[in-house]
Amino acid sequence: MAEISFTDKNKIAEIINTSNRLKYIILFTYKISLEDIISVRVDGDNFEVDVNTETEMFRFKTKGLDSVIMKDVETGILQLTFDPALAQGIYNIVDEYL
Protein backbone atom coordinates (compact mmCIF):
# COMPACT_ATOMS: atom_id res chain seq x y z
CA MET A 1 0.00 0.00 0.00
CA ALA A 2 0.97 3.62 0.02
CA GLU A 3 0.47 6.78 1.94
CA ILE A 4 -1.26 9.98 0.99
CA SER A 5 -1.66 13.39 2.62
CA PHE A 6 -4.81 15.46 2.37
CA THR A 7 -4.81 19.24 2.85
CA ASP A 8 -8.25 20.18 1.50
CA LYS A 9 -10.43 21.25 4.47
CA ASN A 10 -13.51 19.46 3.11
CA LYS A 11 -11.57 16.22 2.59
CA ILE A 12 -10.04 16.50 6.08
CA ALA A 13 -13.50 16.86 7.61
CA GLU A 14 -14.75 13.93 5.53
CA ILE A 15 -11.88 11.71 6.72
CA ILE A 16 -12.29 12.68 10.38
CA ASN A 17 -16.05 12.13 10.16
CA THR A 18 -15.46 8.57 8.88
CA SER A 19 -14.76 7.51 12.47
CA ASN A 20 -16.97 8.88 15.23
CA ARG A 21 -14.41 7.72 17.80
CA LEU A 22 -11.52 9.53 16.07
CA LYS A 23 -13.64 12.65 15.77
CA TYR A 24 -14.51 12.52 19.47
CA ILE A 25 -10.87 12.12 20.51
CA ILE A 26 -9.72 14.99 18.31
CA LEU A 27 -12.49 17.40 19.29
CA PHE A 28 -13.01 16.57 22.97
CA THR A 29 -9.91 14.77 24.26
CA TYR A 30 -7.27 16.82 22.43
CA LYS A 31 -9.53 19.90 22.07
CA ILE A 32 -8.65 20.53 18.42
CA SER A 33 -11.24 22.06 16.13
CA LEU A 34 -11.53 20.77 12.58
CA GLU A 35 -10.52 24.24 11.36
CA ASP A 36 -7.16 23.92 13.14
CA ILE A 37 -6.22 20.75 11.23
CA ILE A 38 -3.97 21.56 8.28
CA SER A 39 -3.43 18.03 6.96
CA VAL A 40 -4.25 14.37 7.47
CA ARG A 41 -1.85 11.65 6.36
CA VAL A 42 -3.18 8.14 5.78
CA ASP A 43 -0.55 5.38 5.78
CA GLY A 44 -1.66 1.98 4.51
CA ASP A 45 1.64 0.21 5.18
CA ASN A 46 1.53 0.94 8.91
CA PHE A 47 -2.24 1.36 9.32
CA GLU A 48 -1.95 4.79 10.82
CA VAL A 49 -3.49 8.23 10.51
CA ASP A 50 -1.56 11.40 11.34
CA VAL A 51 -3.53 14.55 12.12
CA ASN A 52 -1.44 17.72 11.80
CA THR A 53 -2.04 21.22 13.13
CA GLU A 54 0.31 24.18 12.74
CA THR A 55 2.14 23.22 15.94
CA GLU A 56 1.48 19.52 16.65
CA MET A 57 1.14 16.12 15.05
CA PHE A 58 -1.18 13.47 16.48
CA ARG A 59 -0.52 9.89 15.38
CA PHE A 60 -3.06 7.08 15.59
CA LYS A 61 -1.43 3.73 14.77
CA THR A 62 -3.31 0.47 15.07
CA LYS A 63 -1.84 -2.47 16.95
CA GLY A 64 -4.08 -5.42 16.28
CA LEU A 65 -7.83 -5.14 16.18
CA ASP A 66 -8.35 -3.57 19.58
CA SER A 67 -5.51 -1.18 20.41
CA VAL A 68 -4.01 2.05 19.09
CA ILE A 69 -0.75 3.86 19.78
CA MET A 70 -1.66 7.48 20.44
CA LYS A 71 -0.49 10.51 22.41
CA ASP A 72 -1.39 10.62 26.09
CA VAL A 73 -3.15 13.89 26.86
CA GLU A 74 -1.38 14.50 30.17
CA THR A 75 2.19 13.44 29.35
CA GLY A 76 2.29 13.96 25.58
CA ILE A 77 4.00 10.58 25.20
CA LEU A 78 2.84 7.96 22.71
CA GLN A 79 1.28 4.99 24.48
CA LEU A 80 -0.61 1.83 23.63
CA THR A 81 -4.30 2.34 24.39
CA PHE A 82 -7.04 -0.30 24.37
CA ASP A 83 -9.68 1.22 22.08
CA PRO A 84 -11.35 -1.23 19.67
CA ALA A 85 -13.65 1.45 18.20
CA LEU A 86 -10.72 3.70 17.32
CA ALA A 87 -8.70 0.80 15.88
CA GLN A 88 -11.60 -0.16 13.62
CA GLY A 89 -12.06 3.49 12.62
CA ILE A 90 -8.40 3.72 11.55
CA TYR A 91 -8.73 0.51 9.50
CA ASN A 92 -11.88 1.94 7.86
CA ILE A 93 -10.11 5.21 6.98
CA VAL A 94 -7.12 3.37 5.50
CA ASP A 95 -9.44 1.12 3.52
CA GLU A 96 -11.58 3.97 2.20
CA TYR A 97 -8.95 6.62 1.42
CA LEU A 98 -6.13 4.58 -0.11
Side-chain angles (χ1 to χ4, degrees), residues 4-18 34 37-42 93 96-98:
I4 188 167
S5 291
F6 299 92
T7 57
D8 178 71
K9 292 289 188 182
N10 292 327
K11 186 57 88 172
I12 290 170
E14 179 183 318
I15 293 168
I16 300 300
N17 286 322
T18 299
L34 291 178
I37 299 171
I38 60 169
S39 70
V40 172
R41 185 181 72 89
V42 180
I93 290 170
E96 190 167 332
Y97 292 96
L98 284 182

Side-chain angles (χ1 to χ4, degrees), residues 30 32 36 38-39 51-58 71 76:
Y30 294 135
I32 301 168
D36 291 337
I38 60 169
S39 70
V51 176
N52 298 291
T53 67
E54 288 285 342
T55 58
E56 291 186 84
M57 188 269 290
F58 298 88
K71 190 181 286 190

Side-chain angles (χ1 to χ4, degrees), residues 43 45-50 58-64 67-71 78-81 86-87 90-91:
D43 181 345
D45 292 333
N46 297 303
F47 294 99
E48 66 187 28
V49 172
D50 294 341
F58 298 88
R59 174 161 288 161
F60 302 92
K61 178 178 173 52
T62 60
K63 294 302 269 185
S67 297
V68 176
I69 295 174
M70 57 189 261
K71 190 181 286 190
L78 291 176
Q79 69 178 22
L80 185 63
T81 305
L86 180 57
I90 299 303
Y91 283 119

